[in-house]
Amino acid sequence: MSVSNTPAPDGTFAGHAPAAALAEPVERVTARWVTGLVLVNVGINAAFFGPINVFIGQQAISIDAPAKEAILSLVTACGAAVSLVANPLFGALSDRTTSRFGRRAPWVLAGAVLATAALLAMSFSGAVALMVLFWCLVQLGANAAYAAITAAVPDRVPVVQRGGVGGLAAMGQTLGILTGAVFGAVVSGNFMVGYWLCAGALLFSVLPYLFHRNDPALPKSELESFRPRVFLKGFWISPRRYPDFAWAWLTRFLVNVGNQLTIVYLLFFLRDVIHHGDPATGVLVLTGIYAVMVMITAVVAGPWSDRVGRRKPFVIGSSATIAMAGAIMAFFPVWPGALAGAAVLGIGFGAYLAVDFALLTQVLPFAVSRGKDMGVINVANSLPQVVAPALALLAVNYWGGYRTLFLTAAAIGLLGAVFVVKIRGVD
């Protein structure tokens, strides 16, 4: 059966009762399912950040030490470009998947296998071109898995549970980043072993979810006929027709830019402004404080917002807290100020990650395109990694230095807090 009319708000088409894959979830997900979700987030983020923070740089040194900065920038920039396209693309493809294993699980598995194989291949790469190729394949596979696992939340988690699940997912992301850092510390410069550890962590992290996926199959009768032009046009979500979605995207983009601006030149700030004796260790200390606070506030704020049934006050408050961290770094450029700034940034960002994620799942236009729409949202997470370094360069070199940098971060974060008020469909 082919359907060509416009879907209703629940994602179904006229005359249909929603299929299980498209129905609004009402049954609470189990602890086992949530554990699987969290572990996938751990594995994906270990595969992302272990290489980005440590192993690509070490590999660049082994290939051409004098050009290591250029190699690192080239490899990571190409990977970032792939991620901007891959996340919404694979989200949209998972929306149209009619496998008997469900819509999301096949992409979680396929993405993890591709990224694992690419990480292993990257460990043997002795040329920059091969590093670029395999890192782009890592980004392609990991983003396929991430797009699918992100869409699984609005698919299966009822609204009253999404804050808590979002908080645990944020904890998993942070644990993944820390896992990558631990791998970097324990391999003692052996980037080949580091890539293998990241590959193993990613592949094994998806298994608990796949064995308990709760991912109903989508009947083919629920899909429109595939038309490439319509498929591509679907990535544009009209701000006029869906203003809540547009404001939610913009606020997430702004808050992530503010967060990235606060941390992007942290090493140089410790070395050149604070004159820390060991800037690298200082960054590790600040990152540890930040990560601990993110995990604590994420798992506290998410369930709290579920209990009170409100999202916007938490998102506004956490966005303002993130902005406060920038102000602390701007006006107290000393080591205790940096410690306080890292703690405040973690407090704000942990609560933000948990509750804003829940808010985002409540403004998606259609159930039938949750994967694609969450992928478009995820662009607001990736794009700041491109925008923030350029803004930071301008602020530090041309606009007044680090105080300007951190005040810019605070101002952008506050804008994110203000624009949350524009969202009307969520309390």
Side-chain angles (χ1 to χ4, degrees):
M1 175 177 172
S2 176
V3 183
S4 60
N5 53 307
T6 302
D10 65 355
T12 64
F13 298 95
H16 285 255
L22 302 179
E24 185 66 21
V26 294
E27 184 177 344
R28 295 176 72 89
V29 290
T30 65
R32 183 178 175 186
W33 187 89
V34 175
T35 300
L37 176 87
V38 171
L39 289 175
V40 174
N41 277 279
V42 171
I44 290 173
N45 281 276
F48 278 147
F49 289 98
I52 288 173
N53 292 340
V54 181
F55 305 129
I56 294 175
Q58 291 175 341
Q59 191 170 13
I61 292 171
S62 73
I63 292 175
D64 187 351
K68 60 184 182 300
E69 293 89 355
I71 295 171
L72 177 62
S73 296
L74 175 65
V75 174
T76 55
C78 290
V82 169
S83 72
L84 288 175
V85 176
N87 207 290
L89 174 62
F90 284 112
L93 292 174
S94 72
D95 288 333
R96 297 188 59 84
T97 298
T98 56
S99 163
R100 65 188 181 92
F101 298 105
R103 289 196 291 173
R104 315 302 181 190
W107 294 100
V108 172
L109 176 60
V113 169
L114 173 60
T116 297
L119 283 166
L120 294 175
M122 198 165 176
S123 72
F124 295 104
S125 300
V128 174
L130 290 177
M131 288 181 65
V132 171
L133 171 64
F134 290 126
W135 183 243
C136 286
L137 290 176
V138 172
Q139 288 282 348
L140 195 71
N143 273 281
Y146 186 65
I149 200 66
T150 302
V153 176
D155 279 350
R156 307 311 327 149
V157 181
V159 169
V160 296
Q161 201 181 3
R162 284 184 193 168
V165 172
L168 291 170
M171 182 189 72
Q173 294 169 16
T174 307
L175 282 174
I177 295 170
L178 287 176
T179 299
V182 170
F183 289 165
V186 300
V187 300
S188 301
N190 190 334
F191 62 82
M192 178 179 287
V193 174
Y195 283 129
W196 294 350
L197 288 173
C198 290
L202 174 58
L203 188 61
F204 286 106
S205 74
V206 305
L207 296 180
Y209 172 77
L210 294 174
F211 285 119
H212 193 70
R213 58 189 177 273
N214 187 18
D215 188 8
L218 178 68
K220 293 182 179 180
S221 61
E222 296 289 346
L223 290 179
E224 289 184 303
S225 299
F226 180 76
R227 290 175 288 174
R229 184 176 179 183
V230 174
F231 179 78
L232 293 175
K233 285 179 65 177
F235 291 101
W236 170 250
I237 301 171
S238 170
R240 180 171 295 180
R241 293 184 63 189
Y242 308 106
D244 281 356
F245 183 90
W247 286 116
W249 190 98
L250 179 61
T251 58
R252 172 155 280 224
F253 172 76
L254 290 172
V255 171
N256 274 290
V257 169
N259 182 65
Q260 286 292 319
L261 283 174
T262 305
I263 65 177
V264 65
Y265 281 170
L266 197 55
L267 179 69
F268 303 149
F269 175 69
L270 293 182
R271 186 186 68 178
D272 299 335
V273 178
I274 292 181
H275 304 296
H276 193 282
D278 186 352
T281 300
V283 169
L284 181 60
V285 171
L286 296 180
T287 302
I289 293 172
Y290 166 83
V292 169
M293 299 313 298
V294 165
M295 289 188 285
I296 291 173
T297 57
V299 299
V300 170
W304 188 4
S305 75
D306 287 338
R307 286 195 299 272
V308 301
R310 304 190 69 188
R311 310 294 189 198
K312 283 163 61 175
F314 289 89
V315 175
I316 292 169
S318 59
S319 301
T321 303
I322 293 169
M324 187 187 305
I328 291 172
M329 303 284 274
F331 292 112
F332 301 97
V334 292
W335 178 240
L339 293 171
V344 171
L345 186 64
I347 290 169
F349 206 59
Y352 181 84
L353 284 174
V355 183
D356 189 64
F357 179 83
L359 183 152
L360 290 169
T361 66
Q362 293 177 239
V363 299
L364 301 180
F366 298 116
V368 75
S369 59
R370 290 178 183 129
K372 180 262 293 178
D373 297 339
M374 288 301 296
V376 172
I377 287 289
N378 284 331
V379 172
N381 299 329
S382 302
L383 191 57
Q385 298 175 30
V386 178
V387 173
L391 279 178
L393 180 66
L394 292 172
V396 171
N397 289 343
Y398 302 104
W399 295 346
Y402 283 94
R403 176 167 292 182
T404 300
L405 171 66
F406 293 129
L407 289 178
T408 301
I412 292 174
L414 283 177
L415 277 178
V418 169
F419 289 147
V420 173
V421 177
K422 295 285 190 177
I423 299 171
R424 303 298 185 189
V426 182
D427 292 331

